[in-house]
Amino acid sequence: MTDTPRTPPPTAAAPHERPFARDPGRWDREHSRALRTGHVRDHTCSAACERVLVHERTPWGWLAWTVPGDGSQPEIPHQIGVLTPGANRRQRPALRWLTRRPARHLALDTLPGSLRFSAAVVALISTMAGLFAISRGVPTKVTVPAMLLAPLLAEHLPGRLDARARAHVHIVEGDGPCRYLQRLAALHAALVQAAASSDRYELRRSAELGHNLLWDAAGLLQAHNTRSAPARLITYERLMLQLAHQTAQMRSASLHGAARTDHTGEPGPLPGPYAPAV
């Protein structure tokens, strides 16, 4: 990976440049659902308006897209999450948990803040169940604490679970960081696709290395930004370009039944990484 690659990256890097590139109908369905059930952000919204996010899950994490009010597709994700490489069965549920649909809240006029809709439902059910248990002779010292504890758990337990799940995910937000990580994700998509269509160890290893690069870049962007660590970010993108180049060579050799992967031809030079601040 120290030689300068000389062939262009694969054209399969197009996924993740648009929402649900492999399933365009999915975006149409999500957009229609947001119009029916959510608040779509437009020019009339203030800064306090809550964004409606559509999560596109991937093997390595997710891309969260906003829903523009004019019906167009967003070009840059609002948020990108990268799951820790080599996640085990206990860590992988964090991906689905953090990309669940947002909880509904009920505004309370008598109390500051709001209450989760699920907590209100649990409170109603626990109250009815507690009253039924008391009528059947169950001691109040057992039923009353249970009636009070159930809605408290429904209100505060999801927040605790969110914090534990985020320990296994690097989450990046902002146009600059997301634009940079989106480019890496588009290149990494080619590595994942090549590994899925072949049983070669080299291709699987390239996909694993690409996931590690995404993880490291997202962690760096969490702590800094694209302007405070440009050298390391350029290095990450250069390494991902080299992985994409080598993967393209190996796939081309496999398709033509060749054993050697180093070509003697001299196509045009591979475009270098963009400056992170662009």
Side-chain angles (χ1 to χ4, degrees):
M1 292 179 61
T2 58
D3 298 333
T4 302
R6 297 182 178 276
T7 55
T11 56
H16 309 322
E17 294 181 359
R18 290 292 186 272
F20 304 100
R22 298 184 182 278
D23 185 10
R26 173 73 183 278
W27 173 254
D28 296 335
R29 294 192 297 270
E30 293 289 348
H31 184 266
S32 299
R33 184 187 63 81
L35 291 177
R36 293 193 311 268
T37 62
H39 173 73
V40 178
R41 192 179 180 91
D42 55 20
H43 66 281
T44 63
C45 295
S46 64
C49 289
E50 185 176 357
R51 297 177 182 268
V52 175
L53 297 180
V54 176
H55 291 88
E56 180 181 356
R57 296 191 186 99
T58 67
W60 49 264
W62 74 81
L63 298 94
W65 306 89
T66 57
V67 182
D70 58 1
S72 61
Q73 290 189 358
E75 297 182 355
I76 305 173
H78 175 73
Q79 180 190 91
I80 298 179
V82 181
L83 184 66
T84 178
N88 54 36
R89 292 183 177 180
R90 297 180 59 186
Q91 295 170 335
R92 292 206 66 85
L95 177 62
R96 186 166 294 274
W97 174 260
L98 292 174
T99 56
R100 71 192 188 278
R101 292 185 179 179
R104 296 173 58 187
H105 288 77
L106 300 176
L108 302 177
D109 297 334
T110 58
L111 296 176
S114 60
L115 179 68
R116 288 177 182 267
F117 180 78
S118 58
V121 172
V122 171
L124 178 61
I125 295 175
S126 63
T127 300
M128 296 176 62
L131 293 176
F132 178 79
I134 292 175
S135 67
R136 293 289 180 171
V138 180
T140 56
K141 63 180 181 181
V142 175
T143 56
V144 173
M147 292 165 56
L148 298 176
L149 183 61
L152 289 176
L153 287 176
E155 177 67 23
H156 297 289
L157 186 59
R160 297 293 184 90
L161 294 177
D162 285 345
R164 294 192 62 178
R166 288 193 181 96
H168 309 299
V169 179
H170 286 166
I171 300 177
V172 174
E173 294 183 348
D175 287 351
C178 283
R179 187 188 296 273
Y180 167 79
L181 208 59
Q182 182 185 18
R183 292 202 303 268
L184 290 190
L187 291 169
H188 180 56
L191 308 181
V192 174
Q193 183 180 5
S197 60
S198 174
D199 58 353
R200 293 189 59 175
Y201 168 78
E202 294 87 350
L203 296 178
R204 295 198 306 271
R205 183 58 179 162
S206 294
E208 294 173 359
L209 291 175
H211 191 168
N212 279 274
L213 287 174
L214 281 177
W215 171 260
D216 292 341
L220 183 63
L221 291 170
Q222 269 191 334
H224 304 281
N225 52 54
T226 55
R227 294 182 180 274
S228 60
R232 292 181 63 183
L233 294 176
I234 290 178
T235 300
Y236 290 147
E237 190 166 0
R238 192 183 304 278
L239 291 173
M240 190 71 84
L241 284 166
Q242 290 175 341
L243 283 174
H245 160 77
Q246 293 176 354
T247 299
Q249 285 187 323
M250 286 186 285
R251 290 193 69 185
S252 177
S254 298
L255 291 175
H256 292 85
R260 297 176 67 250
T261 59
D262 50 338
H263 299 275
T264 56
E266 295 289 337
L270 176 68
Y274 295 100
V278 174

